């Protein structure tokens, strides 16, 4: 049987994003526009 050398959890179970991160992602998604031209998709960020 394998011996466990670490008794601590390596990954925290409480991983909550900061409000700044949420605000950034929401603003990015609002500014992002995807346009399809023939068989290509172009991503345009209107900032």
């Amino acid at each position: 049987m394998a011996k466990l050398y670490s008794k601590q959890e390596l990954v925290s179970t409480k991983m909550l994003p900061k409000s700044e991160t949420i605000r950034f992602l929401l603003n990015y998604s609002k500014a992002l526009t995807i346009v399809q031209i023939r068989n290509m998709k172009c991503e345009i960020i209107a900032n």
Side-chain angles (χ1 to χ4, degrees), residues 27-46:
N27 289 336
Y28 182 84
S29 67
K30 289 177 188 176
L32 181 66
T33 304
I34 299 175
V35 179
Q36 185 166 359
I37 303 172
R38 295 184 187 155
N39 60 350
M40 296 186 309
K41 288 186 179 179
C42 298
E43 297 175 359
I44 302 168
I45 299 175

Side-chain angles (χ1 to χ4, degrees):
M1 183 163 264
K3 185 175 180 180
L4 299 176
Y5 292 98
S6 174
K7 301 221 183 240
Q8 299 175 352
E9 291 184 28
L10 297 177
V11 178
S12 175
T13 55
K14 294 183 180 180
M15 296 181 71
L16 299 174
K18 294 181 182 178
S19 62
E20 299 162 358
T21 306
I22 294 172
R23 191 176 321 119
F24 172 79
L25 290 173
L26 287 174
N27 289 336
Y28 182 84
S29 67
K30 289 177 188 176
L32 181 66
T33 304
I34 299 175
V35 179
Q36 185 166 359
I37 303 172
R38 295 184 187 155
N39 60 350
M40 296 186 309
K41 288 186 179 179
C42 298
E43 297 175 359
I44 302 168
I45 299 175
N47 276 359

